[in-house]
Amino acid sequence: MMTLSLGRYRRLIMLAMVLALVLITVELTGLREQLSVSFLRAQLEANPITGLIAFVVVFVIGNLIQLPGWIFLAGAILALGTVMGGLATYIAACVSCLVTYVLVRGLGGSALRDIQSPLARKILARLDSHPVRSVALLRLLFQTMPALNYTLALSGVTLRHYMIGTLIGLPVPLLLYCIFFDRILLLLPIG
């Protein structure tokens, strides 16, 4: 009986171990201290191309270890301005969602499909009936929240539906955050 239970959750245990390994690596290398607005701004200002690549990589790692996306957006806006910072964040957020999906789905499969709860079945049925609309609405509300990324990847939604919903759902909240940070920057004495 114990073997059956461990076998059933083997993929989720592997996923948890990989995510723990990423977190431990980030902590031991000191990268976590580097994940700040000032670090991101310096990278983006130093060289736009390699800075953008570094920004995307740091966004992906930050998303995997549960850092909020607004930190990255604020750094990008400070370094690149509202429009280019917002665009860089949109690109990084989409790549981050893709990497998270591939990693989590690859390790965890569609584990949420094994849940026998009537509520879980009802939620998954709604997701199945309108996957793109569901993902887009969830992105409007929760943007790149890591827990949402993990849940959607484990839910069985296809990569195609996941990415289309993500591409449609992310622009509005990112635009609102850009406007908010732009207004905040107008109030701050910088320079």
Side-chain angles (χ1 to χ4, degrees):
M1 187 81 155
M2 183 66 151
T3 307
L4 179 63
S5 292
L6 284 178
R8 185 176 187 187
Y9 297 108
R10 187 180 104 247
R11 295 183 94 179
L12 289 176
I13 293 168
M14 284 182 7
L15 174 61
M17 289 172 52
V18 167
L19 293 176
L21 182 62
V22 168
L23 183 59
I24 290 168
T25 302
V26 168
E27 287 294 330
L28 292 177
T29 61
L31 185 59
R32 189 171 184 91
E33 287 79 34
Q34 298 299 318
L35 298 177
S36 66
V37 172
S38 58
F39 171 77
L40 294 173
R41 183 178 182 179
Q43 293 302 308
L44 288 167
E45 286 177 340
N47 185 332
I49 301 295
T50 59
L52 181 60
I53 293 169
F55 178 69
V56 170
V57 169
V58 170
F59 195 111
V60 169
I61 292 169
N63 201 252
L64 284 172
I65 63 170
Q66 312 291 320
L67 290 178
W70 67 264
I71 292 172
F72 303 100
L73 179 59
I77 288 173
L78 283 170
L80 302 172
T82 304
V83 174
M84 292 307 293
L87 183 59
T89 302
Y90 179 70
I91 292 167
C94 290
V95 170
S96 177
C97 289
L98 174 64
V99 169
T100 302
Y101 179 94
V102 170
L103 177 67
V104 172
R105 174 59 71 86
L107 293 170
S110 54
L112 293 180
R113 295 289 170 170
D114 294 337
I115 297 174
Q116 298 303 317
S117 161
L119 178 60
R121 292 271 171 225
K122 185 177 180 180
I123 292 169
L124 290 172
R126 286 193 181 221
L127 181 62
D128 292 342
S129 66
H130 302 288
V132 172
R133 181 172 60 181
S134 298
V135 172
L137 288 172
L138 288 167
R139 290 290 181 214
L140 280 170
L141 295 172
F142 303 109
Q143 297 85 47
T144 62
M145 180 186 283
L148 174 62
N149 295 338
Y150 297 172
T151 302
L152 288 171
L154 296 171
S155 73
V157 69
T158 66
L159 176 60
R160 180 174 172 262
H161 291 143
Y162 175 84
M163 286 309 299
I164 292 171
T166 296
L167 292 169
I168 292 169
L170 279 180
V172 170
L174 284 177
L175 177 65
L176 293 175
Y177 276 120
C178 284
I179 292 169
F180 172 76
F181 284 122
D182 187 57
R183 296 298 171 235
I184 294 294
L185 288 174
L186 289 175
L187 298 173
L188 297 175
I190 297 177

mmCIF file of all heavy atoms in Angstrom, residues 143-173:
data_model
loop_
_atom_site.group_PDB
_atom_site.id
_atom_site.type_symbol
_atom_site.label_atom_id
_atom_site.label_comp_id
_atom_site.label_asym_id
_atom_site.label_seq_id
_atom_site.Cartn_x
_atom_site.Cartn_y
_atom_site.Cartn_z
ATOM 1 N N GLN A 143 -1.804 37.308 -12.787
ATOM 2 C CA GLN A 143 -0.608 37.511 -13.609
ATOM 3 C C GLN A 143 0.280 36.261 -13.644
ATOM 4 O O GLN A 143 -0.169 35.223 -14.053
ATOM 5 C CB GLN A 143 0.185 38.741 -13.150
ATOM 6 C CG GLN A 143 -0.554 40.028 -13.277
ATOM 7 C CD GLN A 143 -1.430 40.313 -12.080
ATOM 8 O OE1 GLN A 143 -0.989 40.181 -10.966
ATOM 9 N NE2 GLN A 143 -2.652 40.697 -12.311
ATOM 10 N N THR A 144 1.531 36.386 -13.209
ATOM 11 C CA THR A 144 2.487 35.272 -13.296
ATOM 12 C C THR A 144 2.681 34.565 -11.955
ATOM 13 O O THR A 144 3.718 33.955 -11.721
ATOM 14 C CB THR A 144 3.858 35.765 -13.797
ATOM 15 O OG1 THR A 144 4.373 36.714 -12.864
ATOM 16 C CG2 THR A 144 3.766 36.377 -15.176
ATOM 17 N N MET A 145 1.698 34.647 -11.094
ATOM 18 C CA MET A 145 1.811 34.026 -9.775
ATOM 19 C C MET A 145 2.280 32.563 -9.921
ATOM 20 O O MET A 145 1.650 31.782 -10.624
ATOM 21 C CB MET A 145 0.468 34.065 -9.059
ATOM 22 C CG MET A 145 0.498 33.442 -7.676
ATOM 23 S SD MET A 145 -1.149 33.370 -6.936
ATOM 24 C CE MET A 145 -1.352 35.063 -6.456
ATOM 25 N N PRO A 146 3.396 32.223 -9.278
ATOM 26 C CA PRO A 146 3.926 30.870 -9.418
ATOM 27 C C PRO A 146 2.907 29.765 -9.087
ATOM 28 O O PRO A 146 2.843 28.759 -9.799
ATOM 29 C CB PRO A 146 5.104 30.849 -8.447
ATOM 30 C CG PRO A 146 5.560 32.263 -8.406
ATOM 31 C CD PRO A 146 4.292 33.076 -8.490
ATOM 32 N N ALA A 147 2.127 29.953 -8.059
ATOM 33 C CA ALA A 147 1.138 28.923 -7.706
ATOM 34 C C ALA A 147 0.148 28.694 -8.847
ATOM 35 O O ALA A 147 -0.268 27.559 -9.107
ATOM 36 C CB ALA A 147 0.399 29.313 -6.429
ATOM 37 N N LEU A 148 -0.221 29.757 -9.552
ATOM 38 C CA LEU A 148 -1.108 29.611 -10.710
ATOM 39 C C LEU A 148 -0.403 28.844 -11.824
ATOM 40 O O LEU A 148 -0.991 27.954 -12.437
ATOM 41 C CB LEU A 148 -1.562 30.983 -11.214
ATOM 42 C CG LEU A 148 -2.387 30.975 -12.500
ATOM 43 C CD1 LEU A 148 -3.689 30.214 -12.306
ATOM 44 C CD2 LEU A 148 -2.647 32.399 -12.969
ATOM 45 N N ASN A 149 0.856 29.190 -12.091
ATOM 46 C CA ASN A 149 1.615 28.482 -13.126
ATOM 47 C C ASN A 149 1.683 26.991 -12.830
ATOM 48 O O ASN A 149 1.468 26.157 -13.710
ATOM 49 C CB ASN A 149 3.027 29.048 -13.240
ATOM 50 C CG ASN A 149 3.039 30.476 -13.725
ATOM 51 O OD1 ASN A 149 2.110 30.953 -14.356
ATOM 52 N ND2 ASN A 149 4.115 31.172 -13.427
ATOM 53 N N TYR A 150 1.999 26.644 -11.600
ATOM 54 C CA TYR A 150 2.111 25.236 -11.214
ATOM 55 C C TYR A 150 0.761 24.536 -11.353
ATOM 56 O O TYR A 150 0.675 23.431 -11.881
ATOM 57 C CB TYR A 150 2.576 25.091 -9.774
ATOM 58 C CG TYR A 150 3.948 25.636 -9.467
ATOM 59 C CD1 TYR A 150 4.408 25.717 -8.161
ATOM 60 C CD2 TYR A 150 4.804 26.082 -10.469
ATOM 61 C CE1 TYR A 150 5.665 26.217 -7.863
ATOM 62 C CE2 TYR A 150 6.054 26.585 -10.183
ATOM 63 C CZ TYR A 150 6.481 26.658 -8.879
ATOM 64 O OH TYR A 150 7.723 27.159 -8.595
ATOM 65 N N THR A 151 -0.285 25.182 -10.869
ATOM 66 C CA THR A 151 -1.619 24.578 -10.910
ATOM 67 C C THR A 151 -2.067 24.339 -12.344
ATOM 68 O O THR A 151 -2.571 23.251 -12.674
ATOM 69 C CB THR A 151 -2.634 25.476 -10.180
ATOM 70 O OG1 THR A 151 -2.195 25.652 -8.827
ATOM 71 C CG2 THR A 151 -4.020 24.866 -10.181
ATOM 72 N N LEU A 152 -1.894 25.328 -13.198
ATOM 73 C CA LEU A 152 -2.297 25.156 -14.592
ATOM 74 C C LEU A 152 -1.481 24.065 -15.284
ATOM 75 O O LEU A 152 -2.025 23.274 -16.060
ATOM 76 C CB LEU A 152 -2.191 26.475 -15.354
ATOM 77 C CG LEU A 152 -3.240 27.522 -14.997
ATOM 78 C CD1 LEU A 152 -2.907 28.865 -15.646
ATOM 79 C CD2 LEU A 152 -4.631 27.063 -15.402
ATOM 80 N N ALA A 153 -0.184 24.004 -15.015
ATOM 81 C CA ALA A 153 0.653 22.970 -15.626
ATOM 82 C C ALA A 153 0.219 21.574 -15.172
ATOM 83 O O ALA A 153 0.181 20.638 -15.974
ATOM 84 C CB ALA A 153 2.119 23.208 -15.281
ATOM 85 N N LEU A 154 -0.128 21.441 -13.910
ATOM 86 C CA LEU A 154 -0.531 20.138 -13.356
ATOM 87 C C LEU A 154 -1.983 19.797 -13.661
ATOM 88 O O LEU A 154 -2.425 18.681 -13.407
ATOM 89 C CB LEU A 154 -0.302 20.112 -11.846
ATOM 90 C CG LEU A 154 1.151 20.226 -11.387
ATOM 91 C CD1 LEU A 154 1.228 20.407 -9.877
ATOM 92 C CD2 LEU A 154 1.963 19.022 -11.837
ATOM 93 N N SER A 155 -2.725 20.750 -14.224
ATOM 94 C CA SER A 155 -4.159 20.551 -14.452
ATOM 95 C C SER A 155 -4.462 19.749 -15.711
ATOM 96 O O SER A 155 -5.583 19.286 -15.890
ATOM 97 C CB SER A 155 -4.863 21.909 -14.568
ATOM 98 O OG SER A 155 -4.538 22.519 -15.811
ATOM 99 N N GLY A 156 -3.513 19.643 -16.591
ATOM 100 C CA GLY A 156 -3.754 18.938 -17.833
ATOM 101 C C GLY A 156 -4.077 19.856 -18.992
ATOM 102 O O GLY A 156 -4.246 19.396 -20.121
ATOM 103 N N VAL A 157 -4.154 21.176 -18.772
ATOM 104 C CA VAL A 157 -4.388 22.103 -19.875
ATOM 105 C C VAL A 157 -3.191 21.996 -20.827
ATOM 106 O O VAL A 157 -2.055 21.825 -20.391
ATOM 107 C CB VAL A 157 -4.590 23.553 -19.362
ATOM 108 C CG1 VAL A 157 -3.330 24.141 -18.791
ATOM 109 C CG2 VAL A 157 -5.138 24.453 -20.433
ATOM 110 N N THR A 158 -3.456 22.042 -22.125
ATOM 111 C CA THR A 158 -2.378 21.878 -23.095
ATOM 112 C C THR A 158 -1.473 23.107 -23.117
ATOM 113 O O THR A 158 -1.900 24.215 -22.762
ATOM 114 C CB THR A 158 -2.931 21.663 -24.522
ATOM 115 O OG1 THR A 158 -3.602 22.851 -24.943
ATOM 116 C CG2 THR A 158 -3.864 20.462 -24.580
ATOM 117 N N LEU A 159 -0.251 22.915 -23.569
ATOM 118 C CA LEU A 159 0.703 24.025 -23.670
ATOM 119 C C LEU A 159 0.157 25.099 -24.606
ATOM 120 O O LEU A 159 0.278 26.293 -24.322
ATOM 121 C CB LEU A 159 2.058 23.522 -24.173
ATOM 122 C CG LEU A 159 3.125 24.593 -24.414
ATOM 123 C CD1 LEU A 159 3.428 25.365 -23.137
ATOM 124 C CD2 LEU A 159 4.388 23.967 -24.985
ATOM 125 N N ARG A 160 -0.451 24.695 -25.695
ATOM 126 C CA ARG A 160 -1.014 25.654 -26.662
ATOM 127 C C ARG A 160 -2.062 26.549 -26.001
ATOM 128 O O ARG A 160 -2.001 27.773 -26.097
ATOM 129 C CB ARG A 160 -1.626 24.895 -27.834
ATOM 130 C CG ARG A 160 -2.231 25.767 -28.882
ATOM 131 C CD ARG A 160 -2.691 24.915 -30.088
ATOM 132 N NE ARG A 160 -3.423 25.716 -31.009
ATOM 133 C CZ ARG A 160 -4.755 25.784 -31.069
ATOM 134 N NH1 ARG A 160 -5.479 25.053 -30.257
ATOM 135 N NH2 ARG A 160 -5.347 26.556 -31.949
ATOM 136 N N HIS A 161 -3.025 25.948 -25.317
ATOM 137 C CA HIS A 161 -4.072 26.729 -24.649
ATOM 138 C C HIS A 161 -3.490 27.584 -23.528
ATOM 139 O O HIS A 161 -3.901 28.738 -23.332
ATOM 140 C CB HIS A 161 -5.159 25.808 -24.099
ATOM 141 C CG HIS A 161 -5.961 25.157 -25.175
ATOM 142 N ND1 HIS A 161 -6.424 23.864 -25.070
ATOM 143 C CD2 HIS A 161 -6.378 25.600 -26.378
ATOM 144 C CE1 HIS A 161 -7.085 23.547 -26.169
ATOM 145 N NE2 HIS A 161 -7.074 24.588 -26.981
ATOM 146 N N TYR A 162 -2.546 27.028 -22.802
ATOM 147 C CA TYR A 162 -1.885 27.749 -21.710
ATOM 148 C C TYR A 162 -1.194 29.013 -22.228
ATOM 149 O O TYR A 162 -1.351 30.101 -21.680
ATOM 150 C CB TYR A 162 -0.874 26.802 -21.053
ATOM 151 C CG TYR A 162 0.001 27.393 -19.978
ATOM 152 C CD1 TYR A 162 -0.443 27.485 -18.666
ATOM 153 C CD2 TYR A 162 1.293 27.818 -20.254
ATOM 154 C CE1 TYR A 162 0.373 27.994 -17.667
ATOM 155 C CE2 TYR A 162 2.119 28.331 -19.277
ATOM 156 C CZ TYR A 162 1.653 28.415 -17.978
ATOM 157 O OH TYR A 162 2.468 28.914 -16.997
ATOM 158 N N MET A 163 -0.425 28.874 -23.310
ATOM 159 C CA MET A 163 0.327 30.021 -23.824
ATOM 160 C C MET A 163 -0.578 31.042 -24.498
ATOM 161 O O MET A 163 -0.367 32.244 -24.341
ATOM 162 C CB MET A 163 1.440 29.557 -24.774
ATOM 163 C CG MET A 163 2.615 28.929 -24.053
ATOM 164 S SD MET A 163 3.311 29.915 -22.673
ATOM 165 C CE MET A 163 3.845 31.408 -23.495
ATOM 166 N N ILE A 164 -1.591 30.599 -25.237
ATOM 167 C CA ILE A 164 -2.512 31.563 -25.858
ATOM 168 C C ILE A 164 -3.230 32.362 -24.772
ATOM 169 O O ILE A 164 -3.321 33.589 -24.849
ATOM 170 C CB ILE A 164 -3.518 30.852 -26.798
ATOM 171 C CG1 ILE A 164 -2.795 30.286 -28.019
ATOM 172 C CG2 ILE A 164 -4.620 31.824 -27.230
ATOM 173 C CD1 ILE A 164 -3.660 29.388 -28.888
ATOM 174 N N GLY A 165 -3.724 31.672 -23.744
ATOM 175 C CA GLY A 165 -4.380 32.359 -22.632
ATOM 176 C C GLY A 165 -3.439 33.312 -21.918
ATOM 177 O O GLY A 165 -3.821 34.414 -21.522
ATOM 178 N N THR A 166 -2.184 32.903 -21.768
ATOM 179 C CA THR A 166 -1.177 33.748 -21.122
ATOM 180 C C THR A 166 -0.893 34.986 -21.962
ATOM 181 O O THR A 166 -0.852 36.108 -21.443
ATOM 182 C CB THR A 166 0.118 32.938 -20.884
ATOM 183 O OG1 THR A 166 -0.176 31.874 -19.971
ATOM 184 C CG2 THR A 166 1.234 33.800 -20.325
ATOM 185 N N LEU A 167 -0.693 34.807 -23.260
ATOM 186 C CA LEU A 167 -0.404 35.936 -24.150
ATOM 187 C C LEU A 167 -1.562 36.936 -24.190
ATOM 188 O O LEU A 167 -1.343 38.143 -24.291
ATOM 189 C CB LEU A 167 -0.106 35.429 -25.565
ATOM 190 C CG LEU A 167 1.190 34.632 -25.719
ATOM 191 C CD1 LEU A 167 1.240 33.955 -27.086
ATOM 192 C CD2 LEU A 167 2.405 35.499 -25.498
ATOM 193 N N ILE A 168 -2.792 36.431 -24.087
ATOM 194 C CA ILE A 168 -3.971 37.304 -24.105
ATOM 195 C C ILE A 168 -4.194 37.965 -22.738
ATOM 196 O O ILE A 168 -4.546 39.142 -22.659
ATOM 197 C CB ILE A 168 -5.231 36.493 -24.498
ATOM 198 C CG1 ILE A 168 -5.137 36.051 -25.954
ATOM 199 C CG2 ILE A 168 -6.512 37.297 -24.256
ATOM 200 C CD1 ILE A 168 -6.198 35.036 -26.356
ATOM 201 N N GLY A 169 -3.986 37.224 -21.666
ATOM 202 C CA GLY A 169 -4.339 37.705 -20.330
ATOM 203 C C GLY A 169 -3.338 38.621 -19.652
ATOM 204 O O GLY A 169 -3.708 39.401 -18.773
ATOM 205 N N LEU A 170 -2.066 38.556 -20.025
ATOM 206 C CA LEU A 170 -1.047 39.352 -19.325
ATOM 207 C C LEU A 170 -0.979 40.838 -19.683
ATOM 208 O O LEU A 170 -0.642 41.651 -18.823
ATOM 209 C CB LEU A 170 0.339 38.737 -19.525
ATOM 210 C CG LEU A 170 0.695 37.559 -18.635
ATOM 211 C CD1 LEU A 170 2.098 37.057 -18.963
ATOM 212 C CD2 LEU A 170 0.577 37.902 -17.167
ATOM 213 N N PRO A 171 -1.260 41.259 -20.912
ATOM 214 C CA PRO A 171 -1.055 42.676 -21.238
ATOM 215 C C PRO A 171 -1.831 43.675 -20.378
ATOM 216 O O PRO A 171 -1.271 44.693 -19.979
ATOM 217 C CB PRO A 171 -1.479 42.777 -22.707
ATOM 218 C CG PRO A 171 -1.251 41.413 -23.247
ATOM 219 C CD PRO A 171 -1.581 40.480 -22.115
ATOM 220 N N VAL A 172 -3.091 43.415 -20.081
ATOM 221 C CA VAL A 172 -3.886 44.395 -19.320
ATOM 222 C C VAL A 172 -3.327 44.616 -17.914
ATOM 223 O O VAL A 172 -3.083 45.766 -17.524
ATOM 224 C CB VAL A 172 -5.386 44.015 -19.299
ATOM 225 C CG1 VAL A 172 -6.157 44.891 -18.325
ATOM 226 C CG2 VAL A 172 -5.977 44.111 -20.700
ATOM 227 N N PRO A 173 -3.090 43.564 -17.113
ATOM 228 C CA PRO A 173 -2.529 43.850 -15.791
ATOM 229 C C PRO A 173 -1.136 44.469 -15.844
ATOM 230 O O PRO A 173 -0.815 45.341 -15.035
ATOM 231 C CB PRO A 173 -2.513 42.492 -15.084
ATOM 232 C CG PRO A 173 -2.774 41.472 -16.114
ATOM 233 C CD PRO A 173 -3.396 42.141 -17.286
#
